[in-house]
């Protein structure tokens, strides 16, 4: 009896091509259709591990950690200066789900710098901001604005320590005038001192004290005045 041989069933060629195209582990540079290029590690056809991405449209470059196709972990992001054709650092630090998250340093084009905590790509948590005019803010942030407790030091040496809300002085705080040797302690609302007590503070060593010292207050209790103002402030915000 003759033996009948049936042809071996084979998968279509595109299945084989797809298996060969699957990217896992360390691979050489892969070019996307839009011209972007990536060199680094892969997992299940997604960027995963250490790798470097260059965007064709902007020339920006990211080098660092990836997780399932997104920047996640520690990495550095730089952009190409159109004039000098050199790379300028924009951000170095931690990433979460393709956004700045955790601690990191951001370098602004005008020379300003922020070093601190981030959440969803915004300054949130504790951080320090160095402004172009020489001012320094150090304290708490929420959604890219000073919020909570913080200190702002001005170029002339004056400083404010106290509460902040939406980037403005808000709540109990102290404003120091080292040049005059005075201190204003009071309540701020939207950057404006609503009430407070001005006292001499280190006046004898101040470089430019006022002509006359502040008189002693005998009829009122400064601490009591501030406590009453604080109570009114709290009631108005409840």
């Amino acid at each position: 009896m003759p033996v009948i041989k049936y042809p071996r069933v084979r998968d279509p060629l595109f299945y084989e091509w797809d298996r060969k195209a699957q990217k896992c582990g360390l691979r050489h540079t892969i070019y996307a259709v839009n011209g972007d290029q990536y060199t680094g590690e892969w997992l299940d056809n997604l960027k995963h591990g250490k790798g470097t991405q260059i965007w064709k449209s902007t020339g920006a470059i990211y080098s660092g950690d990836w997780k399932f196709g997104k920047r996640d972990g520690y990495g550095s992001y730089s952009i190409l200066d159109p004039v000098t054709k050199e790379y300028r650092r924009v951000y170095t630090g931690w990433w979460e789900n393709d956004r700045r998250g955790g601690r990191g340093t951001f370098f602004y084009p005008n020379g300003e710098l922020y070093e601190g905590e981030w959440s969803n790509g915004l300054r949130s948590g504790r951080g320090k901001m160095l402004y172009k005019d020489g001012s320094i803010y150090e304290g708490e942030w929420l959604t890219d604005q000073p919020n909570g407790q913080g200190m702002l030091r001005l170029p002339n040496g004056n400083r404010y320590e106290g509460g902040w809300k939406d980037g403005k002085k808000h709540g109990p705080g102290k404003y120091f005038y080292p040049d005059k040797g005075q201190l204003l302690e009071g309540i701020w609302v939207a950057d404006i001192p609503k009430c407070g007590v001005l006292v001499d503070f280190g006046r004898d060593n101040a470089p430019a004290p006022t002509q006359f010292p502040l008189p002693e207050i005998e009829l009122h209790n400064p601490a009591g005045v501030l406590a009453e103002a604080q109570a009114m402030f709290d009631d108005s915000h409840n």
Side-chain angles (χ1 to χ4, degrees):
M1 181 177 181
V3 177
I4 301 175
K5 293 184 178 180
Y6 295 96
R8 186 174 58 181
V9 178
R10 300 185 60 180
D11 292 332
L13 283 177
F14 66 82
Y15 283 142
E16 183 179 353
W17 295 338
D18 186 60
R19 281 194 297 269
K20 291 181 178 179
Q22 291 295 314
K23 296 179 281 292
C24 278
L26 181 62
R27 295 288 295 268
H28 295 296
T29 302
I30 302 295
Y31 293 87
V33 176
N34 62 2
D36 295 348
Q37 60 186 67
Y38 173 82
T39 305
E41 297 177 304
W42 297 78
L43 179 65
D44 295 334
N45 225 28
L46 294 173
K47 302 161 193 167
H48 191 88
K50 301 287 186 181
T52 299
Q53 167 97 10
I54 301 177
W55 285 267
K56 173 69 173 179
S57 59
T58 62
I61 182 171
Y62 169 82
S63 182
D65 296 326
W66 296 78
K67 186 176 181 180
F68 301 118
K70 295 181 179 181
R71 292 169 291 186
D72 200 297
Y74 190 85
S76 180
Y77 178 79
S78 302
I79 61 174
L80 188 63
D81 190 298
V83 178
T84 64
K85 303 300 181 182
E86 295 180 351
Y87 278 99
R88 180 180 63 82
R89 282 187 304 171
V90 175
Y91 176 77
T92 298
W94 293 90
W95 300 73
E96 294 177 355
N97 197 30
D98 221 30
R99 294 183 176 182
R100 295 183 291 274
R103 290 198 62 85
T105 302
F106 192 95
F107 304 87
Y108 293 84
N110 62 359
E112 296 181 343
L113 181 146
Y114 171 81
E115 182 178 8
E117 297 177 321
W118 297 79
S119 179
N120 291 322
L122 302 176
R123 294 168 290 185
S124 291
R126 292 199 61 85
K128 182 177 181 180
M129 183 77 188
L130 280 65
Y131 295 95
K132 187 177 181 179
D133 65 356
S135 301
I136 300 174
Y137 172 82
E138 187 169 4
E140 296 176 311
W141 295 75
L142 181 64
T143 58
D144 239 20
Q145 295 283 358
N147 268 277
Q149 294 295 309
M151 179 187 73
L152 175 67
R153 186 184 300 274
L154 301 177
N156 61 7
N158 293 349
R159 72 181 188 275
Y160 168 82
E161 299 177 6
W164 294 80
K165 183 180 179 182
D166 298 330
K168 297 181 179 180
K169 306 176 193 69
H170 196 84
K174 298 178 181 179
Y175 201 105
F176 295 84
Y177 300 89
D179 57 337
K180 298 179 180 180
Q182 292 180 329
L183 163 65
L184 173 62
E185 184 174 1
I187 304 296
W188 272 257
V189 176
D191 249 1
I192 300 174
K194 292 297 185 178
C195 66
V197 177
L198 182 66
V199 298
D200 286 333
F201 182 82
R203 176 185 173 83
D204 294 338
N205 299 320
T210 53
Q211 184 177 2
F212 302 103
L214 293 172
E216 295 290 337
I217 299 177
E218 298 179 355
L219 299 178
H220 300 284
N221 179 5
V225 172
L226 288 177
E228 183 178 351
Q230 177 66 64
M232 295 175 61
F233 177 85
D234 293 339
D235 291 342
S236 66
H237 288 77
N238 287 337

